[in-house]
Amino acid sequence: MAGNYRFEMDQKDINRFLNTTVGSFIQDRLIDKKQRKLHKEQCAERLAAEDGCSDKDTEVQYSEQAVLANLDWGMDALEEAINTSNMETKLARLDYAEKMLQVCAMLNSHQKTAGVPNFYLSAWAHLNLSYLWKLRNNISNSVLHVLEMFIIDPFFSRIDFAPELWKSLFLPHMSSIIGWYSEARHRLMMEVIPDSSDLSFTVDFDQFFNESLVYSVRPDQAEKMQKLEQLYGESLDDNTRLYAKYYKDCINYDSTTCKKVIPMVPIAEPPMTPLHEVSRKIPDYVKFGPILPKSAGFSAILKDKEDPKEACRLNQTSVPLGKVDSPAKESQVSEDASDYEQDDSFADSHKLVSPMSMRIKEDLGCWPKLQQSKESSRDHSPTVFSPLDSPKTPSPKVSSSKQNLQMKREPASILRLLSRHIMTDSSISASLPASPPLPNDTSSWSTDLDSEVIVEARRSCMKKVNRRQNMNFANGNSQLFENSYVNEMDEGSQSNMSFPLSEKSTQRTRPPKDFVCPITSQIFSDPVTLETGQTYERKAIQEWIKRGNTTCPITRQPLSAVALPKTNYVLKRLITSWKEQHPDIAQEFSYSETPRNSSSISPSYGIPEISPPSKSYDEYVNNLNSRRFNRATVSTSPTSVISQATLETVINDLKPHIECLCNSEDLKECETAVLTIAKTWKDSNAESAIHCCLSTPTIVNGFVEILSASLNREVIRTSIYILSELISAEGSVGETLTSVDSDFDCLASLLKNGLSEAAVLIYQLRPSFAQLLAHEFISSLVQIISNKHENKSDLQLIMEPKEAAIALLEEILMGGDENCKYINAMGVISANGIPALIKCMDRVEGRHSIVSVLLCCIKADRSCRNVIATRIDLPLVLELFHGGNDGLRGICVEFLSEIVQLNRRTICNKVLQRIKEEGAFSTMHAFLVYLQMAPMEQQLLIATLLLQLDLLVEPRKMSIYREEAIEALIEGLRRKDFLNFQIMASDALISLSGRLTSSGKSYNEELLLKIAGFDQPYNTVMKEEKLILHETESKETMEEDEKAAKSWEKRVAFVLCNHEKGSIFKVLEECLKSDSLEMAKSCLVLSTWLVHMLSRLPETGVRNAARKSLLDQFINVLLSSRNLEEKILATLALKSFIKDQGALEELGVYAKGIYKVLRKLKRNSVVVTDILKALMNLPSVNAMELWSCSEVVELGSCTNGEVLCLLHLNGRVLSSHADGTIKVWDAGKRVLRFIQEVREHTKAVTCLYVSSSGDKLYSGSLDKTIRVWTVKQEEIYCVQVHDVKEPVYHLIADPNVACFSSQGSGIKVYNWSGVPKHINFNKYVKCLAMSDNTLYCGCSGYSIQEVDLCKHTSSSFYSGAKKLLGKQTIYSLHIQGGLLFAGGSSVDGTAGKVFSISTKGVTGSLSTGFDIQCIAVSNDFLFTGTKCGTIEVWLKERVTRIAAIKMGGGGHTRITSLVLDANGDMLFAGSSDGKIQAWALE
């Protein structure tokens, strides 16, 4: 067949078709998380079931289990990659998933692993790898993996892994095979139906269906149908593999480079068997569809015993009789059938019939999967159509005496043989002793009937049986009925009801003792092995523990752990294998919920029926129930089984109460009935027969009506107890409650009204997040959690209301988007739920939920972490960490990391000490182990936590915990491919400094800016912090906390800087080059902090490493950044380097480039001055190249005469003139703008002086007055006039005293009242300067006099040479930074000197040939004005002349006044010709 090809098709179209179809399929799978989860559970159940033909004595090797673990880990990692939005995490998880999945993808498909066929594992792995490559946007590789899946295992690929994809890629090529099958099946069906010779080929066989037809199928006819279906399935598999290889060749073929033969399209041919010879011609209009059974196990088709790949699929004839399910389960399947729909036009008009081999395997083990996948079954199992149905021929309706059976045209689910189930069901068999013999396969009747028709017919048969049973019970012949049932089954088993592969009678012996639970004496269904080495059924040992026992039932050894371990899957697989080889014994000793032949109450309360044991249904119920509620609905212990007679009596006694509950309109009677029913059920130890009686929708609705109508709290609690017990054992009861919104609303109302038990029932119903959110349960749930006194009752619910409330609260907080989570968490906080949750931490069951809820609260309101950190019992959290899985450990680590991010260092250290010392295990060692195996996103948190624990004591020379933690953090900085991870690592390192706000955010950057002189960000943060917390803190407490914070900061900086000789600096160098602005900013803060702390730490040899790595980067930030805060951080770091001569020399290389930038930063950062001084004083730096200026403005005031004095005050310039005017100019924007002109003085205003507070202005004039002015925003106002009787030439004043010089010698001291006091020292005073209470006077004779204003005494500060006495004069004095600058007449080339006020010694001389008339001093420069209109610029530190500025007006212009703005960026000069000129200094 492989060689049959047609001509070449368009390869590009094929590739495009494959990419589009497969891409769309995978995209849908990636979007639907629920479907992926369900599909994984279904496949996992196949693995748990194990291959039926595996040797029971084969020992499973650990390496084989590891292979299965790799597959599981790979799918988990893939799921994490799908769900995360973090690209770095996604890529990492995809890489890990690929490694794990490749292990299974490369398995030898002809072998087995742990009893599971490798072709199944490999195909499953390839499917997941296709998802993986789709996430990597590589659709070609994704398509190749899908095709490889179909090549390796076409059977499970088309029925389980990707049925819808199979229909798109392969179904169109299978028409010949489908036509062959449909024709052959038609012939067989014609043989079964009497008088069918005149029937059309397109006839609808549904109309001929009846009960008698079921019993008319002969064994040879059933065998033919079985062989036909087997051959049909094999043909589909072979041709699927053939076309998959063809598609793969098309993808790999390259016409330009490939020398291989061009791929040819294969032809799918039907099997050449006698069945192919058809006597009837198929009309052209007949369309056919494929067989797509929706589930199948490993034991499907035994194609060839010599082929190990196919031999593991058992022939359908090997199915034991006892494995066939009950009618109850058939009805459930029929309900599911209506959910299977087909979307494409081809499927809409046809039905497909699945092979009988698929049907039988479905009977064996797929019921739980079918029930669980009810909502999404169409995604996992294709819709099944019949090839004989025509869109032109609708199905007729089939009616019976009891019920009208409508034949629906919607797609049906997979059908099973009705006759088979009727005969193999115990309840039916018992009532039909005269049934005709049933052949081993009865597939020959019409299998294209709608599943609902099958169910309705089955129900019709069941009603006949029930009527017969009812008569038997009424006549007291129940025992005779049971005996006849046993005899009937024995006879049937030995004759017609046996299958070909089970004809050899199995010897009835007991199962191996290791397969039987010592408590229940039944074969294990869910075995768990305790720490004592003994294995028990999970439900049995759970009941043993719930009764208060704390020891092993057999060994009597104490049990240390309350929680049960995971299922012993190895033992479970061995049991499954043994059961398939010994079905009769397995049926007899299997664990069942109901004792054999026990009675139950039918929905009509009066028709007892026999309920057969059904293991698969029990598993289905357990799967639907929550893991929290895994408990046996009945006790299988011999001591808890009620005798048959007693049970019948109890059920008869309950009938009137049940009738009353459902039909009575008297509320009191109904309430009494509820209490009676509850007491009876409790006394019977929750017997399953009573459970079946109460589980009907009518009775459940009766209990709900009681909940809504009754006001008796005891009755309401009892109703909730009964409903809770019913739901825990039967999921359909919950569906009954949730099917009507008013029922849930009733429970919600009860919960809000304070009935705590309602929380348990609501939790069991598994409401959606939208339902929980709509009813606003948060306050009610918090109230339940806060309740100290729980209601004690004899009726114990399956869980405490507090546990249910905590679980519901977790669901509410974990659902929705981030905004929704924030609102819900704030609701918990506002309801005062945090203290209540903390008190419940001693509850083991809900502890992990409490930690999750508290973590959500912390993320919503960071300030609540202080309350949590001080109140929570940390050993309980640590116990949760030690005993949890990776996911739970991650939550615990995140929680612990949050609660140690406190703004109080002393409290934080106490919390860390508790984490370190408390707990049953070594916390630091456990954290270290978890650090080495934690996922990437958890490594930073655990490393940060571990490092803090290590630093609680003074750093030692060596600590493995510290080294591993720091290495993990630094490694995070190296991850260039994961930007977010890098940023997280940088932020984690910054937070280690301990400078945190009450919200847990680091304010390290704001603190560094404050140290640099930029206070605004820090003040903003501290203002908020004081409002939040510090108002209640004492000064002593804050001082103690600040001391602890500084000590901690030094410890952290020391260990980080000295790790591997400063390796962190090299990593930070690379991070500062990052293209991400956020990453570069974060690393800049971290680098600045470390470099700044280095200047405070003892020298250990790492400063040189820091300089080599970071100096150039800081300079680059200073020059290139446009962010002011980044520039200031860079200057702070550079300032830390200027003490290092080597670093200073390197900085001098960039002096010319950074000088202008630094000058602009002077107004924002105080550290800039130190850097500028250091640069200017470097011998290698030419100061003349650094300094420059530009003229900004020149104003003429000739009409006002000579400018006598200039003064700068708060962005304004004040000028006094010879005509007595004072002018105010706005200099805020480097352009002098005239504001005001006042003329209070009558003569020239010789001097202006402003007080230290800046709100008072003093002016002296030749009109013998001193005026006091009030300075406003735009104007000045004269408020006082003092007549001093003498002209005022120079003036210095403050609110207490005014000192001025006049025409005579000495100075006058005026205390603002009376007559000025004269202090005479026989010198004419030409200028004044004051520091504290000392007045310095520049006098004639080139001397400086010092006057003590407190004592009114004078002394000589400096005296000129004797030969110059009386000939030279000091014209200007200026005091700044403890230095006195004096300028005057030029003597021997020196016109000025610089004095130290403290020592009165000369520190420098101004060497110039020009007389100095006035002086202005900035932080870096000295400006001197001369008589010839030239302003000389001097380097202040070195007193070296570097430049000169020429003022306009010619050489005869005399500079009368100089003044600088507050930042030293603007220079203003007044001249004798009435001009004011300004320069911008650069």
Side-chain angles (χ1 to χ4, degrees), residues 351-371:
K351 295 182 179 179
L352 293 177
V353 181
S354 60
M356 190 61 197
S357 58
M358 305 303 101
R359 309 250 54 80
I360 297 176
K361 186 57 191 179
E362 181 186 14
D363 291 348
L364 294 178
C366 299
W367 283 106
K369 296 185 285 295
L370 291 175
Q371 293 296 327

Side-chain angles (χ1 to χ4, degrees), residues 278-528:
V278 188
S279 60
R280 299 171 185 252
K281 182 179 179 182
I282 302 176
D284 295 335
Y285 61 85
V286 177
K287 298 180 180 179
F288 303 98
I291 293 181
L292 296 175
K294 65 180 178 181
S295 62
F298 285 132
S299 304
I301 301 174
L302 186 59
K303 179 179 179 182
D304 187 358
K305 295 183 179 180
E306 297 179 358
D307 185 358
K309 180 174 181 179
E310 298 295 337
C312 62
R313 299 173 179 172
L314 292 180
N315 191 288
Q316 64 274 16
T317 57
S318 65
V319 180
L321 178 62
K323 290 283 184 174
V324 184
D325 290 347
S326 65
K329 287 176 278 186
E330 285 291 328
S331 64
Q332 294 169 1
V333 178
S334 67
E335 294 173 3
D336 292 344
S338 61
D339 292 336
Y340 287 83
E341 298 179 0
Q342 190 66 20
D343 295 331
D344 51 64
S345 59
F346 175 83
D348 284 339
S349 59
H350 297 87
K351 295 182 179 179
L352 293 177
V353 181
S354 60
M356 190 61 197
S357 58
M358 305 303 101
R359 309 250 54 80
I360 297 176
K361 186 57 191 179
E362 181 186 14
D363 291 348
L364 294 178
C366 299
W367 283 106
K369 296 185 285 295
L370 291 175
Q371 293 296 327
Q372 291 175 351
S373 61
K374 183 174 181 179
E375 296 181 358
S376 58
S377 58
R378 60 175 300 196
D379 297 328
H380 292 276
S381 302
T383 308
V384 184
F385 298 89
S386 171
L388 299 183
D389 285 340
S390 172
K392 300 179 182 179
T393 311
S395 300
K397 298 182 180 179
V398 181
S399 61
S400 65
S401 58
K402 293 289 183 179
Q403 215 169 354
N404 291 328
L405 306 179
Q406 182 177 357
M407 304 301 295
K408 299 182 179 180
R409 303 307 304 163
E410 62 186 28
S413 66
I414 304 174
L415 306 179
R416 300 190 208 176
L417 233 53
L418 174 62
S419 58
R420 169 184 214 109
H421 288 284
I422 293 178
M423 293 305 300
T424 55
D425 190 299
S426 60
S427 62
I428 303 300
S429 300
S431 62
L432 297 174
S435 302
L438 180 67
N440 56 353
D441 193 305
T442 54
S443 303
S444 55
W445 61 277
S446 177
T447 54
D448 59 339
L449 295 176
D450 194 289
S451 62
E452 186 171 343
V453 178
I454 304 295
V455 174
E456 296 296 343
R458 185 179 295 108
R459 289 175 179 172
S460 177
C461 295
M462 288 175 61
K463 290 182 178 180
K464 298 178 181 179
V465 175
N466 290 335
R467 286 196 296 271
R468 299 179 186 180
Q469 291 177 350
N470 195 23
M471 295 174 59
N472 290 335
F473 278 105
N475 296 329
N477 296 327
S478 59
Q479 185 62 39
L480 177 61
F481 176 82
E482 292 179 8
N483 294 336
S484 64
Y485 162 75
V486 174
N487 296 333
E488 185 81 11
M489 290 300 296
D490 290 341
E491 294 176 4
S493 299
Q494 297 173 5
S495 59
N496 296 336
M497 301 187 70
S498 62
F499 291 90
L501 292 185
S502 60
E503 291 178 354
K504 294 182 179 180
S505 176
T506 305
Q507 184 180 359
R508 291 190 175 274
T509 59
R510 297 186 61 83
K513 63 177 183 179
D514 293 335
F515 291 178
V516 177
C517 175
I519 297 179
T520 65
S521 299
Q522 302 291 336
I523 296 177
F524 286 118
S525 174
D526 188 5
V528 290

Side-chain angles (χ1 to χ4, degrees), residues 1090-1123:
L1090 290 176
V1091 171
H1092 174 69
M1093 292 302 299
L1094 272 179
S1095 61
R1096 301 184 178 184
L1097 297 174
E1099 174 59 37
T1100 56
V1102 297
R1103 293 182 182 176
N1104 189 45
R1107 172 175 59 82
K1108 290 181 179 180
S1109 299
L1110 299 179
L1111 182 60
D1112 290 345
Q1113 299 304 319
F1114 288 134
I1115 294 174
N1116 181 56
V1117 172
L1118 183 65
L1119 295 176
S1120 61
S1121 178
R1122 297 182 180 180
N1123 185 282

Side-chain angles (χ1 to χ4, degrees), residues 1210-1337:
N1210 298 332
R1212 286 166 291 172
V1213 173
L1214 293 87
S1215 60
S1216 63
H1217 299 268
D1219 63 349
T1221 60
I1222 299 175
K1223 291 186 176 182
V1224 181
W1225 310 80
D1226 180 11
K1229 296 183 178 180
R1230 292 193 173 191
V1231 177
L1232 291 178
R1233 180 176 63 86
F1234 177 74
I1235 298 177
Q1236 181 187 14
E1237 178 180 345
V1238 293
R1239 191 168 182 175
E1240 300 285 341
H1241 290 284
T1242 58
K1243 292 185 179 181
V1245 180
T1246 56
C1247 51
L1248 297 173
Y1249 192 82
V1250 66
S1251 65
S1252 58
S1253 61
D1255 59 344
K1256 297 293 184 181
L1257 174 68
Y1258 305 93
S1259 62
S1261 174
L1262 297 181
D1263 62 1
K1264 301 180 181 180
T1265 62
I1266 298 176
R1267 293 180 180 267
V1268 182
W1269 307 77
T1270 297
V1271 181
K1272 299 295 183 181
Q1273 184 66 27
E1274 294 289 338
E1275 296 178 329
I1276 59 174
Y1277 300 93
C1278 181
V1279 294
Q1280 295 180 13
V1281 179
H1282 297 272
D1283 187 0
V1284 293
K1285 309 300 183 184
E1286 294 183 72
V1288 178
Y1289 289 100
H1290 303 92
L1291 172 67
I1292 288 181
D1294 61 26
N1296 299 319
V1297 66
C1299 302
F1300 63 92
S1301 62
S1302 187
Q1303 296 176 340
S1305 61
I1307 62 167
K1308 302 292 179 68
V1309 180
Y1310 179 58
N1311 61 0
W1312 303 113
S1313 62
V1315 180
K1317 184 176 181 179
H1318 183 220
I1319 300 177
N1320 188 10
F1321 37 76
N1322 297 324
K1323 299 285 185 179
Y1324 291 98
V1325 178
K1326 299 298 182 180
C1327 56
L1328 297 173
M1330 185 170 66
S1331 176
D1332 296 329
N1333 291 320
T1334 302
L1335 183 68
Y1336 298 91
C1337 308

